[in-house]
């Protein structure tokens, strides 16, 4: 084949040499606009996994790169006069120029033609090429030529950064955070050869403008950064090699995703590679890794299907299918890290103490978890756990331990709201059971909730408890509008309090337009037959499903009645001895229908602005707060993202959370979705945790994190980083009532008490876990 790689970066050079090595008959040309052995930029970071792959595919290149590597294990964080360090992280860095020079020499050794100082405007310059690799960077001219095919989605991120270097050597990957009179700056610093370190300075657009850096030339910007980071630089100057840039040396990161990666131009197949196809923020250092992995995978597919030109369509299809998955995973982690740095000043640096700030930074991408940190640096993590336990929960045990000298993991530390103290941070989510008769909680609910309380959770929620008969979702839903229902709840609360350390929460709600449906196993959201149903009310006369009953838009009389129903239910809840009350304003139920513009089309004082849409839910909250005991907390559950065009977003959720905070809400339960049936959530591990993180750290109100939290590792990571104060666990608690006890045992915490009736099973359970771990390690 005739192969032309446009762009002499890592992707084009490495793919060219791999293909020439595997099939010397190929005619391979790499075309580069710069001069021979000339490049720009400072250092790049590699991962161990990438080096393993490079050793497999071309040991000669891998050896040359490894000989030029600089390796370090430590991360150091400087903030608020503190210097903190952790080890075991295993980075390797190399100068970009050194890396490209190694690849260029290897290409020459293998017979790859290198054509320098050649600016390529079009793939049509190479009509004889069978395959054209567009590796010409994020501003790829080839991709731009076929935008309708490649469908690039380019998002310009808000932060500004400048890529500098310094001759001071740093022995750790260093993050330095400095506050000026106009805001925060952060530096990402790492060495890449014996004499030089990369020094990336980043800040928000607002801070950048306030300091006049938009008007500063390159020397002025360098002088400014030297002043801000004078302490860490210790007199070393900052350097730039940005002469190739047009305009300011301060850049905005461009996040790129493409709808397609290949195209046949009538003569040649064109494929995107590296930054031309995708970008990953420098906060996790994966740009070079992605480029190299692209080159390896495309070569692998030629090995699989054959090196003939007739196999190119199959090769390119398989290449894109495989790479999309890994690239999406890396881009997701990079996005998390990028967004963390974009809000680091106001959300974290100003609010968190240095110890927790460092933990938050280390876990910013969500690829590194609590137990992963324990593998990397167990001494540092144990010290952090001890700090967390001693500072936030000194009453846990003497010296903040579990009794054996080991500090408790974050999820097993107590938490206080008003006069309520929870034994730990694990919450059994409200989960619909559809098993009540006339709204009365019966034996099923006693066993269901009681068993989960015995299973070690700190707080046990019943399912949404409806404030009137026509507020129910289904005929099997719990209610709290009469004394019989209150008596049923009292029986559950008394059992939990008498037999466990758990506390009980009652969630009050009104189904609104989602009411009068069948039980979940009979057809979820499907309307009851005529004669079984009841009239529905909502913010606007919009059915939930096309075949759902149409609700009546509420008038003032309806509102007065519903407010009184919530007040009456709250008064009954207070008689049960329940410890916490939650107001359900999420998931498209009645109060949620007022908050979302998708379900609230009113033009009166209850529609339109955030304040108007929240007016009725806030009125309900004030009514229940007035009758709920003053020493007991009230939570509000919000849908923090409608996941549908035109609906509420996390920005709106912050507004609503603030409004509830102002009228006395103690904690926000951060869920999302289910407001409209055609929503499209982006699911994934801990996918709703960012909502909790934002509300907690922007508003300074405690939060409950919800959604796809399934292990102790997840809960510990969330709580330790300050992304939430409690973790609500739903489906795992359906599968395992003793989830908390079992997860504690699984991570080696043996001092957590089990119910006295079950203690004989505790040792055997822990022994079985130890045996399984030993067998797995063989």
């Amino acid at each position: 084949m005739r192969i032309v790689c446009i762009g002499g970066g890592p992707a084009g050079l490495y793919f060219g040499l791999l293909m020439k090595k595997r099939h010397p008959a190929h005619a391979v040309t790499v075309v580069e606009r710069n001069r021979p052995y000339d490049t720009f930029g400072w250092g790049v970071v590699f991962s161990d996994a990438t080096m393993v792959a490079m050793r497999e595919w071309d040991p000669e290149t891998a050896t040359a790169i490894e000989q030029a590597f600089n390796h370090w294990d430590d991360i150091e964080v400087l903030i608020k006069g503190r210097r903190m360090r952790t080890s075991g992280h295993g980075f390797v860095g190399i100068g970009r120029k050194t890396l490209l020079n190694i690849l260029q020499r290897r290409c020459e050794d293998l017979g790859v033609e290198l054509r320098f100082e050649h600016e390529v405007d079009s793939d049509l310059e190479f009509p004889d090429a069978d395959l054209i690799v567009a590796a010409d960077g994020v501003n790829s001219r080839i991709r731009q030529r076929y935008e309708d095919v490649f469908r690039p989605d380019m998002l310009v991120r808000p932060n500004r950064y400048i890529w500098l270097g310094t001759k001071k050597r740093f022995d750790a990957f260093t993050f330095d955070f400095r506050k000026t009179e106009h805001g925060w700056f952060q530096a990402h610093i790492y060495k890449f050869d014996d004499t030089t370190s990369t020094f990336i300075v980043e800040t928000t657009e607002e801070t950048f403008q306030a300091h006049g850096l938009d008007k500063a030339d390159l020397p002025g910007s360098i002088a400014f950064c030297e002043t801000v980071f004078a302490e860490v630089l210790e007199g070393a100057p900052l350097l730039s090699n940005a002469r190739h840039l047009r305009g300011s040396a301060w850049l905005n990161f461009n996040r790129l995703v493409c709808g397609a990666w290949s195209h046949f131009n009538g003569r040649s197949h064109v494929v995107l590679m590296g930054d031309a196809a995708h970008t990953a923020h420098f906060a996790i250092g994966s740009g070079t890794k992605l480029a190299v992995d692209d080159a390896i995978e495309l070569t692998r597919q030629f090995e699989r299907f054959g090196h003939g030109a007739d196999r190119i369509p199959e090769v390119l299809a398989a290449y894109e299918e495989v790479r999309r998955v890994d690239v999406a995973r890396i881009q997701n982690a990079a996005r998390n890290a990028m967004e963390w740095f974009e809000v680091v000043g106001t959300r974290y640096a100003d609010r968190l103490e240095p110890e927790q700030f460092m933990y938050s930074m280390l876990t910013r991408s969500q690829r590194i978890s609590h137990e992963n940190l324990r593998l990397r640096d167990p001494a540092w993590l144990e010290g952090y756990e001890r700090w967390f336990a001693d500072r936030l929960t000194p009453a846990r045990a003497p010296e903040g331990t579990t009794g054996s000298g080991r500090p408790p993991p974050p999820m097993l530390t107590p938490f206080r709201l008003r006069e309520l103290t929870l034994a730990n941070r694990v919450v059994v989510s409200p989960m619909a059971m559809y098993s009540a008769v006339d709204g009365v909680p019966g034996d099923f609910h006693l066993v269901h909730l009681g068993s989960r309380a015995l299973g070690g959770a700190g707080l046990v929620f019943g399912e949404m408890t409806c404030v009137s008969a026509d507020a129910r979702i289904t005929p099997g839903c719990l209610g709290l509008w009469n004394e019989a229902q209150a008596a049923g709840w009292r029986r559950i609360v008394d059992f939990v309090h008498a037999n466990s350390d758990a506390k009980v929460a009652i969630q009050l709600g009104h189904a609104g337009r989602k009411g009068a449906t069948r039980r979940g196993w009979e057809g979820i959201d499907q309307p009851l037959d005529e004669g079984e149903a009841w009239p529905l009310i909502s913010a606007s006369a919009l059915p939930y499903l096309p075949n759902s009953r149409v609700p009546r838009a509420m008038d003032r009389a309806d509102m007065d009645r519903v407010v009184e129903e919530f007040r009456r239910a709250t008064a009954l809840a207070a008689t049960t001895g329940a410890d916490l009350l939650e107001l359900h304003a999420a998931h498209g139920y009645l109060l949620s229908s007022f908050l979302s513009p998708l379900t609230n089309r009113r033009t009166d004082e209850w529609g339109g602005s955030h304040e108007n849409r929240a007016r009725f839910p806030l009125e309900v909250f004030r009514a229940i707060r007035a009758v709920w005991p003053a020493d007991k907390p009230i939570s509000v559950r919000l849908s923090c993202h409608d996941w549908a065009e035109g609906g509420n977003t996390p920005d709106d959720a912050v507004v609503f959370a603030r409004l509830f905070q102002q009228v006395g809400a103690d904690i926000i339960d951060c869920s999302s979705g289910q407001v409209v049936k055609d929503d499209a959530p982006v699911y994934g591990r801990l996918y709703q945790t960012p909502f909790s993180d934002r509300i907690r750290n922007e508003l300074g109100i405690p939060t409950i994190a919800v959604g796809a939290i399934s292990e102790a590792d997840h809960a510990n990571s969330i709580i330790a980083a300050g992304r939430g104060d409690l973790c609500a666990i739903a489906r795992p608690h359906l599968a395992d009532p003793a989830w908390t006890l079992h997860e504690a045992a699984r991570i080696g915490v043996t001092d957590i008490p089990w119910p006295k009736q079950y203690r004989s099973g505790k040792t055997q359970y822990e022994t079985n876990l130890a045996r399984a771990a030993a067998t797995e390690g063989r």
Side-chain angles (χ1 to χ4, degrees), residues 590-610:
L590 182 65
L591 301 185
S592 171
S593 74
F594 276 86
L595 296 177
S596 175
L598 298 176
T599 50
N600 184 342
R601 307 288 177 80
R602 303 176 74 106
T603 58
D604 58 12
E605 61 186 307
W606 293 281
S609 68
H610 290 102

Side-chain angles (χ1 to χ4, degrees), residues 405-420:
R406 173 181 171 178
M411 80 173 197
L412 297 181
T413 58
F415 181 69
R416 185 181 178 89
L417 280 174
R418 297 199 181 215
E419 296 304 310
L420 170 67

